[in-house]
Structure formats: structure tokens, C-alpha cells
Amino acid sequence: MSKSLILIAATALSQWREWAQAQAIAADISLGEINWFLQALTSITALDLKLGINRDVHSQVSLTELKNLWQQRVEQRVPVQYLVGKTPWRNFELIVTPSVLIPRPETEYLIDLALEATDQNPALATGHWVDLGTGSGAIALSLVEQFPNATIHAVDRSAAALDIARKNAKAYGMSDQIQFYQGSWWEPLQEMQGKMSAMLANPPYIPSDLLPDLQTEVFCHEPHSALDGGEDGLSDIRILVSEAPNFLISGGIWLIELMKGQGQVVAQLLSQNGNYNNIQVVDDFSGCDRYVLAKRR
Ligand SMILES: C[S@@+](CC[C@H](N)C(=O)[O-])C[C@H]1O[C@@H](n2cnc3c(N)ncnc32)[C@H](O)[C@@H]1O
């Protein structure tokens, strides 16, 4: 914690917690979020929370501010990660603001799939990799961590998202290992034609009509530019399918996350394109088709 800290008395924080719990129950919000929220903003530990708050704690924000923030959680359904400005993801604690999608646990598995895919062709691990639609930079940072000898490129159309991704890279001393580009999908990477070993992306894939059905937390607070995949949800994925062959080397990896139910359609798009082989639809841990992996012929 770098800001000057405020001491909050145990009794006052206990009372705050009881108030926050009552609010959460009434609003059908998991009580676990309160513990996470407190641990993110104060010096309270999991043990303190388990045993009951019986010592004064240091906090980044005042008790009044804790109350204001929790009210935003309950009344406006602001995601708790935006309220505290960070989220855990794989081995990282990433800065997040409403300019970026909050990276999801299911996206973590993309990195494991990339690792498995390089087992069969270790030379790929020293090549050029791109995270298209980097958002907070989550995938790009993990690629640096897992493929230290690769050159990592990260693209996003949103300048505000790139700003957050750069901050995250800086926080982990990775600024020199990731090249950031503002632009649409492959467009800023023209010089990399025929040179890329792998492309990873978690593109917008939700059909436009379904956006209002998303949880309020997502629909009202996360950037629609990160979610809206056009009429059938596949607008951006079609671009990734059609343009990647110009950029990937033979044997290069094409790997994306998608929405449950899109796996077979995307596999078909890849197959019809004619430039891919080893096309696989991969399920997530709940058994839903969630990722598609292919190789450039
Ligand atoms: C679903 S979010 C994924 C963010 C991050 N990769 C993750 O997994 O948490 C999609 C990202 O794609 C970006 N995006 C949308 N359209 C784009 C485009 N045409 N070109 C590049 N990036 C785009 C959005 O700004 C957003 O950051």
C-alpha cells in the first residue's frame, strides 16, 4: 500500500461489516465479496475475518469511503474489482478500471492450452506471440511469464485499455518485454506478416441482442466494446480467422476463447478457410465448448 494509511478502530470496522453484510444479503450479493473487499483495501487478514475483527486495522480509505464504495456495489451493482481497482488473475494482481474487461477465471486456461500446444513444437516458444484485444494485458503478461524467450505483442483498439495494460506491465517489470499497439486486430502488425508463432485472443463474442440479458454488473459497468461481437457474436472472430493466415508461420498457433455454443461454428469457419489444420474445440471445466485451437498449415 503506497498511499498514507488511515487507522480504523476494530469496533467501528466490525459495525461496518455487519452493515455491509445486511446490505449484501438484501441485494443477493455473496458475503465472500465483503471479505475480499476488506482484504483488498485494509490490512485485515483472513484469520481476523474468521475470528472476528478484534484489532484496529490500517486502511487505504476512510470508513466513510468504505461505506460509499459498498453502497456503489449494492445500489449500482458496480463490480467489486472496479471498486478496489484490482483483480487476481493467474499469478498476477492486475489493475482494472471500467476501461477494461475484468479478466475472467476461464480465460486463465488459454495460457495452459498455449503451453500444451508448444510442448509439441518447442521452437514456437522463442518466436513472436500476439495477444489480440489485450484489455488489461492479462494474457500478454502471462505469455511473458510462461514464454520468457518469446517476443510478445499486444494490440487493442482502445487507448484507455492500452494505458491500463501498460501500467500492469510496468508493475511487473515487463514493459520492455511487451510491444503495445493501438489499432484493430492485425492492422497495426503489418510488418509481422508471415512471422508470428502464435495468436491468442479473447475477442468480443456476445451477440449484440444478448447484451441486455447479461448481469447488471457486466451490462452496466464493463465496456461494451469488449463484449459486443455483432449480430451473431462472430463478427470479430471472422476477422481473426480470415486474417491470421497472413501473419502466422506454418505450424503457428491460433487460439481463442469464445461463448458456449460457438465452438462448432468457429471450427467450421477455420476449416472452410482452408489454411488451418489440427482444429480442436476444447471444453472448459464445466464441460462447455469455450476455446478453439488450430494450427496454420
Ligand atoms: C473480451 S475483452 C478481452 C480482454 C482481455 N484480453 C481479457 O481476456 O481479459 C476484448 C478486448 O478486445 C478489444 N477490442 C475490441 N474490438 C477490437 C478491435 N477491433 N481491435 C482490437 N481490439 C479490440 C476490446 O477493447 C477489449 O479490450
Side-chain angles (χ1 to χ4, degrees), residues 101 103 107 131 133-135 139 156-158 183-185 202-204 225-226 236:
L101 184 99
T107 309
D131 168 16
T134 194
I139 294 172
D156 208 289
R157 196 169 52 182
S158 155
S184 187
W185 304 129
N202 173 19
S225 53
D236 294 296

Side-chain angles (χ1 to χ4, degrees), residues 89 94 99-104 107-108 110 131-140 155-159 161-162 181-188 200-205 223-228 236 239-240 257:
W89 196 81
L94 298 170
S99 302
V100 295
L101 184 99
I102 299 162
R104 303 296 204 268
T107 309
E108 298 188 2
L110 267 189
D131 168 16
L132 289 179
T134 194
S136 62
I139 294 172
V155 176
D156 208 289
R157 196 169 52 182
S158 155
L162 282 172
Y181 308 78
Q182 188 185 0
S184 187
W185 304 129
W186 291 102
E187 175 263 321
L200 271 71
N202 173 19
Y205 50 61
H224 285 198
S225 53
L227 302 167
D228 190 343
D236 294 296
I239 298 173
L240 301 183
E257 178 179 319

Side-chain angles (χ1 to χ4, degrees), residues 104-113 116 202 205 255-264 280-293:
R104 303 296 204 268
E106 56 268 29
T107 309
E108 298 188 2
Y109 191 52
L110 267 189
I111 307 300
D112 298 301
L113 289 172
E116 277 171 33
N202 173 19
Y205 50 61
L255 173 59
I256 69 163
E257 178 179 319
L258 35 69
M259 190 173 88
K260 174 183 164 192
Q262 292 175 335
Q264 287 311 326
Q280 293 170 57
V281 178
V282 182
D283 287 353
D284 62 18
F285 291 113
S286 56
C288 301
D289 53 335
R290 174 65 68 179
Y291 317 94
V292 174
L293 172 65

Side-chain angles (χ1 to χ4, degrees), residues 78-91:
V78 179
V80 70
Q81 296 92 333
Y82 289 152
L83 294 174
V84 303
K86 60 188 173 186
T87 192
W89 196 81
R90 283 185 74 95
N91 294 328

Side-chain angles (χ1 to χ4, degrees), residues 168-187:
N168 279 318
K170 189 168 176 210
Y172 284 94
M174 293 178 174
S175 299
D176 293 342
Q177 288 146 284
I178 306 176
Q179 295 176 36
F180 292 98
Y181 308 78
Q182 188 185 0
S184 187
W185 304 129
W186 291 102
E187 175 263 321

Side-chain angles (χ1 to χ4, degrees), residues 133-150:
T134 194
S136 62
I139 294 172
L141 266 69
S142 276
L143 292 177
V144 171
E145 183 184 49
Q146 299 300 331
F147 302 105
N149 298 316

